[in-house]
Amino acid sequence: MNAIGKGVIAGCVSIAAALSLCACGSSANNSESSTVSFQTWNLKNDTYTPYFTKLISEFEKENPGVKVKWVDQPAENYDSKLSTDAAAGQLPDIVNVNEQQAYNLAKSGALLNLSKEAAGMAKDYLPQVWDGSKFSGNGIDEGVYGFPWYLNIDVAYLNKDVFANCGLDINKPPKTYNDLFDQANTVNEKCGGKSYMIAVPYVFPSQFEEYGVNFLSKDRSKFTFNSSKGVEYIQHYADLYKKGAIPKDGMNANIINAEKLYFQGNIAYMLDSTSSVAAFKANAPQVYKQLDVAPLATNKKNTLNPMLMAVNSQTKNKKMALKLANFLTNKKNQVEFSKKSNTYPSAAGAMDDPFFKSIDESTIEGKVLRVAKEEIDNGTVANFPPEISDTDGVNYLSPELTQAIQGEKGVKEALDKAVAALNDRLK
């Protein structure tokens, strides 16, 4: 399983080019096959093999004559494997993908549009996840292209000592980005040079959206984050950096660097995965003792990151493939998967299961669970074209923002340059 945090997913491969070479390689026909296959992503191990083996047995029993084939691919080069199989017409009937991988496949016509093929199943999933997962623009027929599966949730981890020592109230964590910036200034005034509100600037696409910036045009045909609102957002970080309110080491804005700084015990607020509590306990026990947790600051809705089970548009057994994908991601099976994986279900009603409602808020783990539920209730999916999420996209965006925040160039100039480069990639 590849857990996805707020960070950028790198390494997506262009499936469109490969498919254009081999569109005639599809094995699709009008006959129905008695075998249906599904592919997972690095999940065949001691933790998950018994889980999937049980599901396969249940599905075959409920559907006499049907045989289910489980394929698992390693995490390494998974994007390339999807590209190769799609080009050769050899994708399994169902594939486990993230939003960026699904977007590439959908753009190339390799996935079924579930809004058309399985509209009646939408009710089985949280509406904010189903509706938020719709793709459109860039030649894609508008719709949902994967059954929502598990969710990776980020929360705000708070250091109670830093809050107390630097003029903040732990019972009043930042709710909006304006709160976050105001509190960053307070920490700098009280503890400048010793402690900081944030370890790194939060400049991923989803965070622009959470601030209120339209990162893409409505038809998703061009990037638009160089607007006055976008300039306003990045200017906040430039102002903080100029005052010394962001550590110089924090300009390498990735989650590994952020955790490293947070483990040192002088950062008040950091976003990280709900599963990171164990890392705090193991790697920074003194910080773990001072942990509190809150929903992430946002001016709009929290961002949800779903994994999907998508259906191959060339499947030989469309009816059974849709049925199996829906079965793998139904409420009961999502709850059981979440228990094993420290993730959260996207199926409607799944968070009402006793496993999630029995919250012991005397522990940080229990508080994390409560906050995750709040964010899911207030969340939406912010899916972006792979052109911004792959390695090249990051390389266009990150250096420009870094230079702007460090005062080496104007914020508007930096955003204009990043937008121009990324829009060229969309053409």
Short mmCIF file of all heavy atoms in Angstrom, two decimals, residues 191-258:
data_model
loop_
_atom_site.label_atom_id
_atom_site.label_comp_id
_atom_site.label_asym_id
_atom_site.label_seq_id
_atom_site.Cartn_x
_atom_site.Cartn_y
_atom_site.Cartn_z
N CYS A 191 9.19 34.06 20.77
CA CYS A 191 10.26 33.05 20.81
C CYS A 191 11.11 33.08 19.56
O CYS A 191 11.63 32.05 19.12
CB CYS A 191 9.66 31.65 20.97
SG CYS A 191 8.68 31.42 22.46
N GLY A 192 11.24 34.25 18.94
CA GLY A 192 11.96 34.35 17.68
C GLY A 192 13.34 33.75 17.71
O GLY A 192 14.12 34.01 18.63
N GLY A 193 13.62 32.91 16.71
CA GLY A 193 14.93 32.29 16.61
C GLY A 193 15.08 31.01 17.41
O GLY A 193 16.04 30.27 17.22
N LYS A 194 14.15 30.75 18.31
CA LYS A 194 14.20 29.53 19.12
C LYS A 194 13.10 28.55 18.75
O LYS A 194 13.33 27.34 18.70
CB LYS A 194 14.10 29.89 20.61
CG LYS A 194 15.24 30.73 21.13
CD LYS A 194 15.06 31.05 22.61
CE LYS A 194 16.20 31.90 23.15
NZ LYS A 194 16.01 32.24 24.59
N SER A 195 11.92 29.06 18.52
CA SER A 195 10.78 28.23 18.15
C SER A 195 10.03 28.88 17.00
O SER A 195 10.13 30.09 16.78
CB SER A 195 9.83 28.02 19.35
OG SER A 195 10.47 27.32 20.39
N TYR A 196 9.26 28.05 16.28
CA TYR A 196 8.54 28.52 15.10
C TYR A 196 7.14 27.91 15.09
O TYR A 196 6.91 26.84 15.65
CB TYR A 196 9.27 28.10 13.82
CG TYR A 196 10.71 28.54 13.76
CD1 TYR A 196 11.72 27.75 14.29
CD2 TYR A 196 11.06 29.74 13.16
CE1 TYR A 196 13.05 28.15 14.24
CE2 TYR A 196 12.38 30.16 13.09
CZ TYR A 196 13.38 29.35 13.64
OH TYR A 196 14.68 29.75 13.59
N MET A 197 6.23 28.60 14.44
CA MET A 197 4.88 28.04 14.30
C MET A 197 4.88 26.88 13.33
O MET A 197 4.33 25.82 13.60
CB MET A 197 3.91 29.14 13.80
CG MET A 197 2.46 28.68 13.72
SD MET A 197 1.81 28.31 15.38
CE MET A 197 0.17 27.69 14.99
N ILE A 198 5.51 27.06 12.17
CA ILE A 198 5.55 26.03 11.13
C ILE A 198 6.99 25.75 10.74
O ILE A 198 7.86 26.63 10.83
CB ILE A 198 4.74 26.44 9.89
CG1 ILE A 198 5.20 27.80 9.34
CG2 ILE A 198 3.24 26.46 10.20
CD1 ILE A 198 4.52 28.23 8.06
N ALA A 199 7.22 24.52 10.32
CA ALA A 199 8.57 24.12 9.91
C ALA A 199 8.85 24.46 8.46
O ALA A 199 9.98 24.75 8.08
CB ALA A 199 8.76 22.63 10.14
N VAL A 200 7.81 24.40 7.63
CA VAL A 200 7.96 24.60 6.19
C VAL A 200 6.76 25.38 5.68
O VAL A 200 5.68 25.36 6.28
CB VAL A 200 8.03 23.24 5.43
CG1 VAL A 200 9.23 22.44 5.88
CG2 VAL A 200 6.75 22.45 5.62
N PRO A 201 6.91 26.11 4.57
CA PRO A 201 5.74 26.74 3.94
C PRO A 201 4.86 25.67 3.29
O PRO A 201 5.36 24.70 2.73
CB PRO A 201 6.35 27.67 2.89
CG PRO A 201 7.72 27.16 2.65
CD PRO A 201 8.17 26.44 3.87
N TYR A 202 3.56 25.85 3.36
CA TYR A 202 2.62 24.88 2.81
C TYR A 202 2.17 25.34 1.43
O TYR A 202 1.25 26.15 1.30
CB TYR A 202 1.43 24.70 3.76
CG TYR A 202 1.85 24.12 5.09
CD1 TYR A 202 1.43 24.69 6.30
CD2 TYR A 202 2.67 23.00 5.15
CE1 TYR A 202 1.82 24.15 7.51
CE2 TYR A 202 3.06 22.45 6.36
CZ TYR A 202 2.64 23.03 7.54
OH TYR A 202 3.04 22.48 8.73
N VAL A 203 2.84 24.82 0.41
CA VAL A 203 2.66 25.37 -0.94
C VAL A 203 2.34 24.29 -1.96
O VAL A 203 2.67 24.43 -3.14
CB VAL A 203 3.92 26.16 -1.37
CG1 VAL A 203 4.07 27.42 -0.52
CG2 VAL A 203 5.19 25.31 -1.26
N PHE A 204 1.68 23.22 -1.54
CA PHE A 204 1.22 22.23 -2.49
C PHE A 204 -0.10 22.70 -3.10
O PHE A 204 -0.80 23.55 -2.53
CB PHE A 204 1.05 20.88 -1.81
CG PHE A 204 2.35 20.28 -1.34
CD1 PHE A 204 2.51 19.89 -0.02
CD2 PHE A 204 3.41 20.11 -2.22
CE1 PHE A 204 3.71 19.35 0.41
CE2 PHE A 204 4.61 19.56 -1.80
CZ PHE A 204 4.76 19.18 -0.47
N PRO A 205 -0.48 22.18 -4.27
CA PRO A 205 -1.71 22.65 -4.93
C PRO A 205 -2.95 22.63 -4.03
O PRO A 205 -3.74 23.57 -4.05
CB PRO A 205 -1.85 21.67 -6.10
CG PRO A 205 -0.45 21.30 -6.44
CD PRO A 205 0.26 21.22 -5.11
N SER A 206 -3.11 21.57 -3.24
CA SER A 206 -4.29 21.48 -2.39
C SER A 206 -4.32 22.61 -1.37
O SER A 206 -5.40 23.08 -0.98
CB SER A 206 -4.32 20.13 -1.67
OG SER A 206 -3.16 19.94 -0.89
N GLN A 207 -3.15 23.08 -0.94
CA GLN A 207 -3.11 24.15 0.05
C GLN A 207 -3.44 25.50 -0.57
O GLN A 207 -4.05 26.36 0.08
CB GLN A 207 -1.74 24.14 0.74
CG GLN A 207 -1.61 22.91 1.63
CD GLN A 207 -0.21 22.36 1.73
OE1 GLN A 207 0.72 22.84 1.08
NE2 GLN A 207 -0.05 21.32 2.54
N PHE A 208 -3.06 25.70 -1.83
CA PHE A 208 -3.55 26.89 -2.54
C PHE A 208 -5.07 26.89 -2.54
O PHE A 208 -5.72 27.91 -2.25
CB PHE A 208 -3.05 26.89 -3.98
CG PHE A 208 -1.67 27.45 -4.20
CD1 PHE A 208 -0.55 26.67 -4.00
CD2 PHE A 208 -1.50 28.76 -4.62
CE1 PHE A 208 0.72 27.18 -4.23
CE2 PHE A 208 -0.23 29.28 -4.85
CZ PHE A 208 0.88 28.48 -4.65
N GLU A 209 -5.66 25.75 -2.89
CA GLU A 209 -7.12 25.64 -2.96
C GLU A 209 -7.75 25.88 -1.59
O GLU A 209 -8.78 26.56 -1.47
CB GLU A 209 -7.52 24.26 -3.48
CG GLU A 209 -7.26 24.05 -4.95
CD GLU A 209 -8.34 24.63 -5.85
OE1 GLU A 209 -9.42 24.98 -5.32
OE2 GLU A 209 -8.12 24.72 -7.07
N GLU A 210 -7.15 25.33 -0.55
CA GLU A 210 -7.70 25.50 0.80
C GLU A 210 -7.66 26.97 1.23
O GLU A 210 -8.51 27.41 2.00
CB GLU A 210 -6.92 24.64 1.79
CG GLU A 210 -7.19 23.16 1.64
CD GLU A 210 -6.24 22.29 2.45
OE1 GLU A 210 -5.24 22.82 2.98
OE2 GLU A 210 -6.49 21.09 2.56
N TYR A 211 -6.68 27.69 0.75
CA TYR A 211 -6.60 29.12 1.08
C TYR A 211 -7.69 29.91 0.36
O TYR A 211 -8.15 30.94 0.84
CB TYR A 211 -5.23 29.68 0.70
CG TYR A 211 -5.04 31.13 1.10
CD1 TYR A 211 -4.80 31.47 2.43
CD2 TYR A 211 -5.12 32.15 0.15
CE1 TYR A 211 -4.63 32.82 2.80
CE2 TYR A 211 -4.96 33.48 0.51
CZ TYR A 211 -4.72 33.81 1.84
OH TYR A 211 -4.56 35.13 2.21
N GLY A 212 -8.12 29.41 -0.80
CA GLY A 212 -9.13 30.11 -1.59
C GLY A 212 -8.66 30.47 -2.97
O GLY A 212 -9.32 31.24 -3.69
N VAL A 213 -7.52 29.93 -3.39
CA VAL A 213 -6.98 30.19 -4.72
C VAL A 213 -7.56 29.17 -5.70
O VAL A 213 -7.59 27.98 -5.40
CB VAL A 213 -5.44 30.06 -4.71
CG1 VAL A 213 -4.87 30.31 -6.11
CG2 VAL A 213 -4.82 31.01 -3.70
N ASN A 214 -8.03 29.63 -6.84
CA ASN A 214 -8.45 28.73 -7.91
C ASN A 214 -7.19 28.28 -8.64
O ASN A 214 -6.64 29.02 -9.46
CB ASN A 214 -9.42 29.41 -8.87
CG ASN A 214 -10.75 29.72 -8.22
OD1 ASN A 214 -11.26 28.93 -7.42
ND2 ASN A 214 -11.31 30.87 -8.53
N PHE A 215 -6.73 27.09 -8.33
CA PHE A 215 -5.47 26.61 -8.89
C PHE A 215 -5.59 26.32 -10.37
O PHE A 215 -4.64 26.49 -11.13
CB PHE A 215 -5.02 25.35 -8.14
CG PHE A 215 -3.55 25.09 -8.22
CD1 PHE A 215 -2.66 25.74 -7.38
CD2 PHE A 215 -3.05 24.19 -9.15
CE1 PHE A 215 -1.29 25.51 -7.46
CE2 PHE A 215 -1.69 23.94 -9.23
CZ PHE A 215 -0.81 24.60 -8.39
N LEU A 216 -6.78 25.89 -10.80
CA LEU A 216 -7.08 25.60 -12.19
C LEU A 216 -8.32 26.37 -12.62
O LEU A 216 -9.17 26.71 -11.80
CB LEU A 216 -7.35 24.11 -12.38
CG LEU A 216 -6.18 23.14 -12.45
CD1 LEU A 216 -6.69 21.73 -12.21
CD2 LEU A 216 -5.49 23.22 -13.80
N SER A 217 -8.45 26.61 -13.92
CA SER A 217 -9.68 27.18 -14.45
C SER A 217 -10.82 26.17 -14.29
O SER A 217 -10.59 24.98 -14.08
CB SER A 217 -9.50 27.54 -15.92
OG SER A 217 -9.18 26.38 -16.68
N LYS A 218 -12.05 26.64 -14.37
CA LYS A 218 -13.20 25.76 -14.15
C LYS A 218 -13.24 24.60 -15.12
O LYS A 218 -13.66 23.49 -14.77
CB LYS A 218 -14.50 26.57 -14.24
CG LYS A 218 -14.74 27.46 -13.02
CD LYS A 218 -16.11 28.13 -13.08
CE LYS A 218 -16.37 28.97 -11.83
NZ LYS A 218 -17.70 29.63 -11.88
N ASP A 219 -12.81 24.84 -16.36
CA ASP A 219 -12.81 23.75 -17.34
C ASP A 219 -11.52 22.93 -17.29
O ASP A 219 -11.32 22.04 -18.12
CB ASP A 219 -13.05 24.28 -18.75
CG ASP A 219 -11.92 25.21 -19.24
OD1 ASP A 219 -10.94 25.43 -18.48
OD2 ASP A 219 -12.03 25.72 -20.36
N ARG A 220 -10.65 23.23 -16.33
CA ARG A 220 -9.41 22.50 -16.08
C ARG A 220 -8.45 22.54 -17.28
O ARG A 220 -7.61 21.67 -17.46
CB ARG A 220 -9.70 21.04 -15.70
CG ARG A 220 -10.57 20.91 -14.47
CD ARG A 220 -10.88 19.47 -14.15
NE ARG A 220 -9.70 18.73 -13.76
CZ ARG A 220 -9.20 18.70 -12.54
NH1 ARG A 220 -9.79 19.37 -11.56
NH2 ARG A 220 -8.12 17.99 -12.27
N SER A 221 -8.59 23.59 -18.08
CA SER A 221 -7.76 23.68 -19.28
C SER A 221 -6.47 24.45 -19.05
O SER A 221 -5.56 24.41 -19.89
CB SER A 221 -8.54 24.34 -20.41
OG SER A 221 -8.86 25.69 -20.07
N LYS A 222 -6.37 25.18 -17.93
CA LYS A 222 -5.15 25.95 -17.67
C LYS A 222 -5.01 26.21 -16.17
O LYS A 222 -5.98 26.23 -15.41
CB LYS A 222 -5.16 27.26 -18.44
CG LYS A 222 -6.30 28.21 -18.07
CD LYS A 222 -6.24 29.46 -18.93
CE LYS A 222 -7.39 30.42 -18.58
NZ LYS A 222 -7.34 31.65 -19.39
N PHE A 223 -3.75 26.42 -15.77
CA PHE A 223 -3.45 26.76 -14.39
C PHE A 223 -3.67 28.26 -14.18
O PHE A 223 -3.34 29.07 -15.06
CB PHE A 223 -2.01 26.38 -14.04
CG PHE A 223 -1.78 24.89 -14.01
CD1 PHE A 223 -1.24 24.23 -15.10
CD2 PHE A 223 -2.13 24.15 -12.89
CE1 PHE A 223 -1.03 22.86 -15.07
CE2 PHE A 223 -1.93 22.78 -12.85
CZ PHE A 223 -1.39 22.13 -13.95
N THR A 224 -4.20 28.63 -13.01
CA THR A 224 -4.57 30.02 -12.77
C THR A 224 -4.12 30.51 -11.39
O THR A 224 -4.66 31.49 -10.88
CB THR A 224 -6.10 30.19 -12.89
OG1 THR A 224 -6.75 29.29 -11.97
CG2 THR A 224 -6.59 29.90 -14.30
N PHE A 225 -3.15 29.83 -10.79
CA PHE A 225 -2.78 30.19 -9.42
C PHE A 225 -1.91 31.44 -9.32
O PHE A 225 -1.47 31.81 -8.23
CB PHE A 225 -2.10 29.01 -8.72
CG PHE A 225 -0.87 28.48 -9.40
CD1 PHE A 225 0.38 29.01 -9.11
CD2 PHE A 225 -0.95 27.43 -10.30
CE1 PHE A 225 1.52 28.53 -9.73
CE2 PHE A 225 0.19 26.93 -10.92
CZ PHE A 225 1.43 27.47 -10.63
N ASN A 226 -1.67 32.11 -10.46
CA ASN A 226 -0.94 33.38 -10.43
C ASN A 226 -1.90 34.56 -10.28
O ASN A 226 -1.55 35.71 -10.59
CB ASN A 226 -0.09 33.55 -11.68
CG ASN A 226 -0.90 33.49 -12.97
OD1 ASN A 226 -1.97 32.89 -13.01
ND2 ASN A 226 -0.37 34.07 -14.04
N SER A 227 -3.09 34.31 -9.79
CA SER A 227 -4.08 35.36 -9.55
C SER A 227 -3.68 36.20 -8.34
O SER A 227 -2.71 35.90 -7.63
CB SER A 227 -5.44 34.71 -9.26
OG SER A 227 -5.36 33.93 -8.07
N SER A 228 -4.42 37.26 -8.11
CA SER A 228 -4.13 38.12 -6.95
C SER A 228 -4.25 37.33 -5.65
O SER A 228 -3.50 37.58 -4.70
CB SER A 228 -5.07 39.33 -6.93
OG SER A 228 -6.44 38.91 -6.87
N LYS A 229 -5.17 36.37 -5.62
CA LYS A 229 -5.32 35.53 -4.43
C LYS A 229 -4.11 34.63 -4.24
O LYS A 229 -3.66 34.40 -3.12
CB LYS A 229 -6.60 34.69 -4.53
CG LYS A 229 -7.05 34.09 -3.20
CD LYS A 229 -7.60 35.15 -2.27
CE LYS A 229 -8.22 34.52 -1.03
NZ LYS A 229 -8.69 35.55 -0.07
N GLY A 230 -3.57 34.11 -5.34
CA GLY A 230 -2.37 33.30 -5.27
C GLY A 230 -1.18 34.10 -4.78
O GLY A 230 -0.38 33.62 -3.96
N VAL A 231 -1.06 35.33 -5.29
CA VAL A 231 0.03 36.20 -4.85
C VAL A 231 -0.11 36.50 -3.36
O VAL A 231 0.87 36.46 -2.60
CB VAL A 231 0.03 37.51 -5.66
CG1 VAL A 231 1.02 38.51 -5.08
CG2 VAL A 231 0.35 37.22 -7.12
N GLU A 232 -1.33 36.77 -2.94
CA GLU A 232 -1.59 37.05 -1.52
C GLU A 232 -1.15 35.89 -0.64
O GLU A 232 -0.52 36.09 0.42
CB GLU A 232 -3.08 37.31 -1.34
CG GLU A 232 -3.54 37.51 0.09
CD GLU A 232 -5.06 37.64 0.17
OE1 GLU A 232 -5.60 38.60 -0.42
OE2 GLU A 232 -5.70 36.78 0.82
N TYR A 233 -1.45 34.66 -1.09
CA TYR A 233 -1.12 33.48 -0.29
C TYR A 233 0.39 33.32 -0.12
O TYR A 233 0.91 33.18 0.99
CB TYR A 233 -1.71 32.23 -0.95
CG TYR A 233 -1.45 30.95 -0.18
CD1 TYR A 233 -1.76 30.85 1.16
CD2 TYR A 233 -0.89 29.85 -0.82
CE1 TYR A 233 -1.51 29.68 1.87
CE2 TYR A 233 -0.65 28.67 -0.12
CZ TYR A 233 -0.97 28.60 1.23
OH TYR A 233 -0.72 27.44 1.93
N ILE A 234 1.13 33.36 -1.20
CA ILE A 234 2.57 33.16 -1.13
C ILE A 234 3.26 34.35 -0.45
O ILE A 234 4.28 34.18 0.24
CB ILE A 234 3.16 32.92 -2.53
CG1 ILE A 234 2.54 31.65 -3.14
CG2 ILE A 234 4.68 32.79 -2.48
CD1 ILE A 234 2.72 30.41 -2.28
N GLN A 235 2.68 35.54 -0.58
CA GLN A 235 3.27 36.71 0.08
C GLN A 235 3.29 36.54 1.59
O GLN A 235 4.22 37.02 2.27
CB GLN A 235 2.50 37.97 -0.31
CG GLN A 235 3.18 39.26 0.15
CD GLN A 235 4.53 39.47 -0.50
OE1 GLN A 235 4.67 39.41 -1.73
NE2 GLN A 235 5.56 39.71 0.30
N HIS A 236 2.29 35.85 2.13
CA HIS A 236 2.28 35.60 3.59
C HIS A 236 3.56 34.86 4.00
O HIS A 236 4.19 35.20 5.01
CB HIS A 236 1.07 34.76 3.97
CG HIS A 236 -0.21 35.53 4.09
ND1 HIS A 236 -0.40 36.52 5.03
CD2 HIS A 236 -1.37 35.44 3.39
CE1 HIS A 236 -1.63 37.03 4.92
NE2 HIS A 236 -2.23 36.39 3.93
N TYR A 237 3.94 33.84 3.24
CA TYR A 237 5.14 33.08 3.57
C TYR A 237 6.40 33.92 3.36
O TYR A 237 7.36 33.82 4.15
CB TYR A 237 5.20 31.81 2.73
CG TYR A 237 4.12 30.81 3.07
CD1 TYR A 237 3.08 30.56 2.19
CD2 TYR A 237 4.13 30.14 4.29
CE1 TYR A 237 2.08 29.66 2.51
CE2 TYR A 237 3.13 29.24 4.62
CZ TYR A 237 2.10 29.00 3.72
OH TYR A 237 1.11 28.10 4.05
N ALA A 238 6.39 34.74 2.31
CA ALA A 238 7.55 35.62 2.07
C ALA A 238 7.74 36.59 3.24
O ALA A 238 8.87 36.84 3.69
CB ALA A 238 7.37 36.37 0.76
N ASP A 239 6.64 37.12 3.75
CA ASP A 239 6.71 38.04 4.88
C ASP A 239 7.21 37.33 6.14
O ASP A 239 8.04 37.88 6.89
CB ASP A 239 5.34 38.66 5.14
CG ASP A 239 4.88 39.59 4.02
OD1 ASP A 239 5.73 40.02 3.21
OD2 ASP A 239 3.67 39.87 3.95
N LEU A 240 6.72 36.13 6.38
CA LEU A 240 7.17 35.36 7.55
C LEU A 240 8.66 35.04 7.45
O LEU A 240 9.40 35.16 8.43
CB LEU A 240 6.35 34.08 7.69
CG LEU A 240 4.89 34.22 8.11
CD1 LEU A 240 4.19 32.85 8.07
CD2 LEU A 240 4.77 34.82 9.51
N TYR A 241 9.09 34.64 6.26
CA TYR A 241 10.50 34.28 6.07
C TYR A 241 11.39 35.50 6.30
O TYR A 241 12.45 35.40 6.95
CB TYR A 241 10.72 33.72 4.67
CG TYR A 241 12.12 33.21 4.44
CD1 TYR A 241 12.50 31.94 4.85
CD2 TYR A 241 13.09 34.02 3.83
CE1 TYR A 241 13.80 31.47 4.66
CE2 TYR A 241 14.38 33.57 3.63
CZ TYR A 241 14.73 32.28 4.05
OH TYR A 241 16.02 31.83 3.86
N LYS A 242 10.98 36.64 5.81
CA LYS A 242 11.76 37.86 5.97
C LYS A 242 11.92 38.22 7.44
O LYS A 242 12.98 38.73 7.86
CB LYS A 242 11.09 39.00 5.21
CG LYS A 242 11.90 40.30 5.19
CD LYS A 242 11.20 41.36 4.33
CE LYS A 242 12.03 42.64 4.27
NZ LYS A 242 11.37 43.67 3.43
N LYS A 243 10.90 37.94 8.25
CA LYS A 243 10.96 38.23 9.68
C LYS A 243 11.72 37.17 10.47
O LYS A 243 11.93 37.33 11.67
CB LYS A 243 9.54 38.31 10.25
CG LYS A 243 8.68 39.43 9.70
CD LYS A 243 7.27 39.31 10.24
CE LYS A 243 6.34 40.37 9.64
NZ LYS A 243 4.93 40.19 10.11
N GLY A 244 12.09 36.08 9.80
CA GLY A 244 12.76 34.99 10.51
C GLY A 244 11.79 34.03 11.17
O GLY A 244 12.17 33.27 12.07
N ALA A 245 10.51 34.06 10.74
CA ALA A 245 9.48 33.22 11.35
C ALA A 245 9.34 31.85 10.71
O ALA A 245 8.49 31.05 11.13
CB ALA A 245 8.14 33.95 11.31
N ILE A 246 10.15 31.56 9.71
CA ILE A 246 10.24 30.23 9.11
C ILE A 246 11.71 29.83 9.15
O ILE A 246 12.57 30.61 8.71
CB ILE A 246 9.73 30.21 7.65
CG1 ILE A 246 8.24 30.56 7.59
CG2 ILE A 246 9.95 28.83 7.02
CD1 ILE A 246 7.69 30.67 6.17
N PRO A 247 12.04 28.66 9.69
CA PRO A 247 13.46 28.27 9.74
C PRO A 247 14.06 28.16 8.35
O PRO A 247 13.40 27.71 7.41
CB PRO A 247 13.43 26.92 10.46
CG PRO A 247 12.03 26.42 10.33
CD PRO A 247 11.16 27.63 10.27
N LYS A 248 15.30 28.61 8.22
CA LYS A 248 15.95 28.56 6.91
C LYS A 248 16.01 27.12 6.38
O LYS A 248 15.89 26.88 5.18
CB LYS A 248 17.36 29.16 6.99
CG LYS A 248 17.35 30.66 7.26
CD LYS A 248 18.74 31.24 7.19
CE LYS A 248 18.74 32.73 7.52
NZ LYS A 248 17.89 33.53 6.59
N ASP A 249 16.19 26.16 7.27
CA ASP A 249 16.20 24.75 6.85
C ASP A 249 14.84 24.31 6.32
O ASP A 249 14.75 23.28 5.65
CB ASP A 249 16.58 23.85 8.03
CG ASP A 249 18.03 24.01 8.43
OD1 ASP A 249 18.79 24.61 7.66
OD2 ASP A 249 18.40 23.55 9.54
N GLY A 250 13.81 25.07 6.62
CA GLY A 250 12.46 24.68 6.21
C GLY A 250 12.15 24.96 4.76
O GLY A 250 11.07 24.59 4.28
N MET A 251 13.05 25.59 4.04
CA MET A 251 12.75 25.88 2.64
C MET A 251 12.86 24.65 1.76
O MET A 251 12.47 24.68 0.60
CB MET A 251 13.67 26.98 2.13
CG MET A 251 13.38 28.34 2.77
SD MET A 251 11.62 28.79 2.80
CE MET A 251 11.28 28.87 1.05
N ASN A 252 13.35 23.56 2.28
CA ASN A 252 13.24 22.28 1.58
C ASN A 252 11.91 21.68 2.00
O ASN A 252 11.84 20.86 2.91
CB ASN A 252 14.40 21.37 1.96
CG ASN A 252 14.36 20.03 1.26
OD1 ASN A 252 13.64 19.87 0.28
ND2 ASN A 252 15.09 19.07 1.76
N ALA A 253 10.84 22.12 1.35
CA ALA A 253 9.49 21.91 1.86
C ALA A 253 8.94 20.53 1.52
O ALA A 253 8.07 20.37 0.68
CB ALA A 253 8.54 22.99 1.32
N ASN A 254 9.48 19.51 2.18
CA ASN A 254 8.89 18.19 2.02
C ASN A 254 8.62 17.59 3.39
O ASN A 254 9.11 18.08 4.41
CB ASN A 254 9.80 17.26 1.20
CG ASN A 254 11.17 17.07 1.85
OD1 ASN A 254 11.26 16.63 2.98
ND2 ASN A 254 12.23 17.42 1.13
N ILE A 255 7.84 16.53 3.42
CA ILE A 255 7.36 15.99 4.69
C ILE A 255 8.51 15.40 5.52
O ILE A 255 8.50 15.47 6.75
CB ILE A 255 6.25 14.94 4.46
CG1 ILE A 255 5.56 14.58 5.78
CG2 ILE A 255 6.79 13.71 3.77
CD1 ILE A 255 4.88 15.73 6.46
N ILE A 256 9.51 14.85 4.87
CA ILE A 256 10.64 14.27 5.60
C ILE A 256 11.39 15.36 6.35
O ILE A 256 11.73 15.23 7.53
CB ILE A 256 11.58 13.51 4.65
CG1 ILE A 256 10.85 12.30 4.05
CG2 ILE A 256 12.84 13.06 5.37
CD1 ILE A 256 11.64 11.57 2.98
N ASN A 257 11.62 16.47 5.67
CA ASN A 257 12.32 17.59 6.31
C ASN A 257 11.46 18.20 7.41
O ASN A 257 11.97 18.57 8.48
CB ASN A 257 12.67 18.65 5.27
CG ASN A 257 13.69 19.64 5.79
OD1 ASN A 257 14.73 19.25 6.31
ND2 ASN A 257 13.39 20.92 5.65
N ALA A 258 10.16 18.30 7.17
CA ALA A 258 9.27 18.85 8.18
C ALA A 258 9.27 18.00 9.44
O ALA A 258 9.32 18.52 10.57
CB ALA A 258 7.85 18.97 7.62
#
